[in-house]
Amino acid sequence: MAPPRKIDLFVARAYSRKGVQSGLFFWTVLALVFAGTFVVSKIPLGLYTPTVGFQQGKHREPPKQSIPPTPTTPAGRGIIRAYNQRIIAIGDLHGDIDRLRSTLRAANVLEKDVDAWRKGCTDVVVQLGNVVGYGPDAPEMLQLLSGLKPQALASGGRLITLSGNQELLTLSGVLEYVHPRQLNLSAGYVGLRYLYGPGGRYGRMMAEENLAVAIVSDIVFVHGGLTAAYARRGVNKLNAEWYEGAALMNLARHPFHDEESPLWDHSVVRAAMGGNCGPLSAGMAALKAKENRDINLMVVGHTTMRDGKVGTWCAGKLMTIDVAMSRYVENGGYEAFVSFLPMLKKVKRKKLVLGTAERVQTHYPLGPGVRAALLASTEA
């Protein structure tokens, strides 16, 4: 007969009358219960056990899950923190792809030899609209910007394109400002209206990939201007209105058809240029209250500045950066862009918050007031 195993002896002793009286059976069961509870609590099955609850201090209610907000348009979110990133703003381009390439390379976000986002570039670039209109290069420009967006995201940066009044006109079938070469490439007005309409290739790019308003860090970017009435709607609603309205062929039915919409407004800029900063302050205050975040600067295009120089108004709270960059507009061909250093700066292991005035830098790649070479008569 084989000798009994140690485990058999232990069980027999625990279940014996003497073992039960000594408490050996009780302590054995208790140890097994605690060991089992510990093992179950470590299994990543999303189970809620008392052990997990006590560890998290939430025994009476399960842990809450935060769901990120869904973007209101395919173009993505219109509010970006970007406190640790450089921000670059580019104004109206009006169908001149040479100015687009030259400006992006001067800002060091585009590779030197190819049309690709520079590897490792984490900058946030905002183009303020009016890519189309006047010049013939709209198809190439829309394709270039569309292709750069996923590359920027993959590198840790972001490329944001806004819509201007020219995008709205083109989507709506108003072809008054179309260049003859662009018309010929599109096989006439019928082809142009299809390609740049809501269902066409380039129309979908403008409708789905553009925003109406964007807030990056503490700066609001908009093509024309942001009045208090529109600012009260908030960024998400304004961007949703742009996207949903872009499917309408009738210009009068688009939510932004009026002269005070973010794509058309001149009133904020003209008042500021005349010394009245009230409309600007009201718009920024309304947006700040709606979004519950600091808004210290508004950057706009649309209103062309003379001599190709960026305008600053209302103690630095408004910047107008449409400097007539396109060579296809009257007295155009200038180059300019604005950059903003990161808001947070590390100094001796401490983070300092820089003010807007400390961060802004204005760049003139060709020199202040210098225009690019004029076009030949066959190109104009």
Side-chain angles (χ1 to χ4, degrees):
M1 183 176 179
R5 295 177 300 172
K6 290 184 178 181
I7 186 65
D8 295 330
L9 293 174
F10 177 83
V11 173
R13 187 179 301 172
Y15 277 85
S16 67
R17 183 177 180 182
K18 186 177 180 180
V20 172
Q21 289 178 348
S22 66
L24 181 61
F25 175 78
F26 171 79
W27 291 111
T28 302
V29 173
L30 187 62
L32 291 173
V33 169
F34 272 102
T37 305
F38 177 80
V39 171
V40 171
S41 68
K42 295 298 181 181
I43 299 176
L45 297 177
L47 300 176
Y48 181 76
T49 65
T51 305
V52 175
F54 281 121
Q55 290 173 354
Q56 297 181 350
K58 298 180 180 180
H59 181 58
R60 295 188 178 275
E61 60 181 32
K64 296 180 180 179
Q65 296 182 355
S66 60
I67 302 175
T70 304
T72 55
T73 74
R77 293 178 298 167
I79 301 177
I80 305 173
R81 298 181 65 179
Y83 297 141
N84 297 304
Q85 294 168 271
R86 188 175 70 135
I87 304 167
I88 297 166
I90 301 173
D92 304 33
L93 293 164
H94 288 300
D96 192 339
I97 195 169
D98 290 338
R99 301 281 69 70
L100 172 60
R101 288 189 176 117
S102 177
T103 305
L104 290 175
R105 289 196 168 96
N108 198 28
V109 298
L110 199 66
E111 295 285 1
K112 293 182 179 180
D113 302 324
V114 293
D115 289 342
W117 190 267
R118 183 174 61 82
K119 293 181 179 179
C121 178
T122 60
D123 296 340
V124 178
V125 178
V126 184
Q127 199 285 318
L128 291 172
N130 277 15
V131 169
V132 302
Y134 294 99
D137 302 329
E140 298 172 83
M141 297 171 75
L142 291 172
Q143 291 180 75
L144 174 58
L145 291 169
S146 180
L148 289 175
K149 289 175 182 178
Q151 298 175 24
L153 287 173
S155 186
R158 179 83 184 269
L159 172 58
I160 300 171
T161 53
L162 303 184
S163 286
N165 60 304
Q166 289 294 334
E167 279 77 15
L168 179 58
L169 289 171
T170 304
L171 269 167
S172 303
V174 180
L175 308 178
E176 180 181 350
Y177 303 98
V178 173
H179 193 277
R181 194 194 314 168
Q182 184 181 349
L183 184 63
N184 294 334
L185 291 173
S186 304
Y189 287 105
V190 175
L192 195 68
R193 283 193 171 92
Y194 173 75
L195 286 172
Y196 292 86
R201 178 181 183 182
Y202 302 116
R204 290 185 61 184
M205 286 182 182
M206 293 185 288
E208 297 177 3
E209 298 184 17
N210 288 1
L211 298 173
V213 183
I215 297 176
V216 184
S217 186
D218 60 338
I219 308 167
V220 56
F221 297 91
V222 61
H223 177 71
L226 196 60
T227 63
Y230 276 92
R232 292 189 191 100
R233 302 183 188 182
V235 171
N236 286 340
K237 186 174 182 180
L238 290 173
N239 288 333
E241 288 179 352
W242 158 254
Y243 172 59
E244 294 166 2
L248 304 173
M249 287 297 291
N250 186 353
L251 177 63
R253 294 171 56 196
H254 195 286
F256 294 156
H257 72 87
D258 67 285
E259 294 183 353
E260 292 187 355
S261 78
L263 277 59
W264 281 99
D265 184 69
H266 281 291
S267 64
V268 172
V269 173
R270 287 174 178 170
M273 293 174 69
N276 178 13
C277 298
L280 172 68
S281 299
M284 293 175 66
L287 188 63
K288 179 179 179 179
K290 177 65 178 179
E291 302 296 349
N292 192 27
R293 60 188 303 120
D294 288 334
I295 306 293
N296 297 318
L297 174 65
M298 184 183 296
V299 180
V300 304
H302 193 43
T303 304
T304 307
M305 297 291 101
R306 293 182 178 180
D307 302 323
K309 295 181 181 178
V310 171
T312 304
W313 317 93
C314 297
K317 293 185 178 181
L318 174 67
M319 296 191 75
T320 50
I321 66 171
D322 179 5
V323 297
M325 293 177 67
S326 174
R327 294 167 295 173
Y328 298 93
V329 301
E330 185 178 359
N331 298 322
Y334 298 99
E335 278 190 23
F337 67 93
V338 178
S339 67
F340 301 89
L341 297 174
M343 177 186 288
L344 298 180
K345 180 181 180 181
K346 285 187 177 181
V347 178
K348 295 182 179 180
R349 298 184 180 181
K350 294 183 179 180
K351 287 186 177 181
L352 300 180
V353 179
L354 300 180
T356 308
E358 300 176 89
R359 295 154 50 206
V360 63
Q361 297 177 332
T362 304
H363 307 265
Y364 299 99
L366 301 178
V370 178
R371 298 169 62 188
L374 296 177
L375 294 165
S377 58
T378 55
E379 297 179 287

